Amino acid sequence: MTTLLALDTATEACSVALLHNGERYSDYAVIPRQHAQQLLPMIQALLAQAGVPMSAVDALAFGRGPGAFTGVRIATGMVQGLALALDRPVLAVSNLALLAQRAWREHRAREVAAAIDARMDEVYWGCYRLDAHNVMQLQGLEAVLPPEHVSLPRDMLAEHCFGAGTGWAYAERLAVKPAQCDVSLLPHAEDLLSQGLAAWQRGEAVDAADAQPVYLRDKVATPKQA
């Protein structure tokens, strides 16, 4: 694979990224409630900047959640539509993994407790460790739970851990106290390139129809009955 297109809209941030012949391009904007209008123009502009036609894309990666239900659906719908039209495979990557990968890229954090504000007095939670290929790997399970109930895997120490994501706005209530944290971090499609390539190498690509969101919550918002 020489060309990977990545996109994410699971949080307030809307971002796209492209890997083409070893070169990386990306665009990122914090634009709440504008994702549906801005995502496709951002993709088109990025491809134009790189001089790459849509038909040259070999695979697509997207942030499959957890995150805002509407945002996750927007990314899922867009990547399914593009992948079906192009007849290309899809790589679905956790948004918590993207947070951890960004913490490595920007803060050089090797062990990360990623937390996204899940509303309803809960956080989406996942713990990650950097592997030998500089890719963050999940340790244990991802979950949605009250801040007081979070925990680290047995072999991760809080004093060696970096807290990443909006869930750390609950820092006073979170049961884990890391050495450092960055509550402003949001998932970025640039980190989808690293995670997506690793998923590709693990053979995790799926057909467009099988690219599904992961909400972690059992109860997903549905339209009210008339």
Side-chain angles (χ1 to χ4, degrees):
M1 179 176 58
T2 59
T3 304
L4 173 64
L5 177 65
L7 56 98
D8 178 63
T9 58
T11 65
E12 301 93 319
C14 181
S15 59
V16 296
L18 180 71
L19 175 67
H20 178 65
N21 291 337
E23 295 290 328
R24 294 185 178 218
Y25 308 81
S26 68
D27 190 13
Y28 173 94
V30 179
I31 46 173
R33 296 176 295 280
Q34 297 181 49
H35 300 58
Q37 295 77 24
Q38 297 300 321
L39 181 58
L40 185 56
M42 287 174 70
I43 292 171
Q44 293 170 332
L46 193 70
L47 290 169
Q49 176 191 345
V52 176
M54 186 75 77
S55 59
V57 171
D58 295 308
L60 299 100
F62 77 110
R64 50 88 166 148
F69 295 144
T70 300
V72 173
R73 286 196 293 266
I74 289 169
T76 304
M78 179 64 73
V79 82
Q80 285 181 328
L82 291 174
L84 281 169
L86 296 168
D87 190 23
R88 299 292 190 271
V90 174
L91 298 150
V93 178
S94 164
N95 281 88
L96 291 168
L98 298 189
L99 268 181
Q101 196 69 37
R102 186 173 182 182
W104 160 247
R105 178 168 58 87
E106 296 188 358
H107 296 279
R108 284 301 181 254
R110 294 178 173 273
E111 294 188 347
V112 177
I116 296 173
D117 187 350
R119 314 300 180 188
M120 298 173 64
D121 215 32
E122 292 181 318
V123 295
Y124 298 119
W125 178 261
C127 299
Y128 288 81
R129 177 178 285 126
L130 197 71
D131 69 12
H133 304 288
N134 292 333
V135 176
M136 283 288 178
Q137 301 292 346
L138 179 64
Q139 309 297 302
L141 300 174
E142 295 181 343
V144 56
L145 66 177
E148 293 83 1
H149 294 175
V150 304
S151 63
L152 296 175
R154 290 181 180 179
D155 61 347
M156 286 180 68
L157 300 175
E159 56 265 33
H160 297 159
C161 196
F162 186 93
T166 56
W168 286 96
Y170 293 100
E172 292 185 359
R173 293 174 53 195
L174 285 163
V176 172
K177 307 300 179 187
Q180 293 178 283
C181 69
D182 186 344
V183 70
S184 70
L185 279 191
L186 296 168
H188 195 312
E190 183 170 340
D191 303 298
L192 251 173
L193 299 178
S194 300
Q195 286 282 333
L197 280 175
W200 176 273
Q201 291 164 358
R202 293 193 297 266
E204 296 175 4
V206 298
D207 291 336
D210 296 322
Q212 298 298 318
V214 173
Y215 298 111
L216 290 184
R217 275 205 179 105
D218 292 331
K219 296 180 180 179
V220 175
T222 55
K224 294 182 179 178
Q225 297 295 324

